[in-house]
Amino acid sequence: MALLVPADVLLAFFKDATTLMENHPQKETLPHLMSDEDAIPPTLEKQRQVLLGVQVSALERAVADYNSNTSKGDDVTVESAQLALRELGGGGETKLIEPFDDESKQNLTLAMSVMNDVARVAFARAVLMLEFQWDQKMSDEGEGDGQDTSNIRNLRGAGEGTSSIDRAHVLEFCGLCNVAVKIPQVQRYLRDGTDLLLLFDETTNGDEGAVEKAANTKTENSLSTAKDRLENIQKVILRALGYEPQFAMDEFRRLFLSKESDTEMDDLELVDIFSKFVQSMMVVLTNATLGISTDFNGLPSDKDEGGVTRVVSVQQSEAFVDVGGGDDGRPNGHTVAPPPRATMEQQRDAFQKEQIEMARQAATVREGMLGELIAMDEKEREATLKDAKERHDSFMEQANQLPEGPARFMLMARLDKETQRALVIHKLWEKMLEENGGQAPAH
């Protein structure tokens, strides 16, 4: 009979791996990753293997610490711990772990969930850091903004007879973007155009002065608007996947937004995933334009009550590192289903806190925008509201000519900053009038 793995070993692994990945990648490891003479960022598969190595090291350390501190005759092995992790991640009965009570199981599943969330963020952060460093290198060498590097990096593009984008790459692109835009440093980059590499330096290398320095540093990659910066994030992720960004963007439009897509695209699941992805990017853009921060659990929008209080739930398959092993006990990089989340009580408490915070943020934004309108003199307010209504009516006319789904979401995502703000102003003012019986408040 195989030796059962103590729950304490797994819990120690989760905590250690989480701490390590919160600081991944370390600045000193980046040159090692970019080992070729052109300093080209490594493939995503290699980056997964590096992150997997961090996790395996943590597991080996947890097993060794347990074996050195226990008086039992039989040692726990890394292979048996990997099998136990795979079993725990499956969410079913745990036969390979020593018996433990419900509270201990809740602690284990919660720690595993936190670690997997941190792993997703660490992977996305590494991808962005390496790609932004590549852009910086190309800029320093006079090669432009780093986007036109198809020949140097052998990117897949229209000129090479590439028929389309692989389904798996569409899923990975959506998953990576959804995680990337939840990283606090990326949100600040989107809002303010601050130097993303300097912000990441503060996270991964303990540089406390990096944030202050980044606040006053804007690079060519910062670009001028939140929309441009979000597109830049998407483009570098497409490049990391091995595609020439413009080719990939054109393929997305052809597959999901053109008239051809109605007859050519029969993968309804992929259409639904991409539709939700575009919707989530629209919310991200709105938040960045209005200067709103969000956490890893939700993205606020202005759909409900004319404000920014609703959480858009994007169910998306995201590739992340599997800490388990293959049939031979060796670690692998396969993707697995996300593990069970926290208990119902923890989920309810977290949701309530999240709703309270989002309601507070929404109230602040609403009060600020309405306060500005009310403080205007009558002529200025009438002109502002007239412009907002005209922009709203024009947008609705265009939207009504499009079928529901990705095409409408893309229309919203393409709006400039002024039009997005005008739509919110119109909606807030109309709701305020409705609540006040059609009367504007006196000022």
Side-chain angles (χ1 to χ4, degrees), residues 21 24 46-55 119 122-123 321:
M21 289 187 295
H24 177 83
K46 180 176 180 180
Q47 293 190 51
R48 286 194 191 90
Q49 291 302 319
V50 170
L51 191 58
L52 177 62
V54 173
Q55 295 172 309
F123 181 64
V321 178

Side-chain angles (χ1 to χ4, degrees), residues 167 170-171 256 265 267-275:
R167 184 183 194 276
V170 175
L171 293 174
F256 301 107
M265 178 54 69
D267 190 336
L268 298 182
E269 180 186 13
L270 192 60
V271 170
D272 181 61
I273 288 171
F274 192 80
S275 171

Side-chain angles (χ1 to χ4, degrees), residues 109-124:
T109 54
L110 179 57
M112 178 172 61
S113 178
V114 169
M115 186 200 71
N116 284 325
D117 280 346
V118 171
R120 293 184 184 97
V121 171
F123 181 64

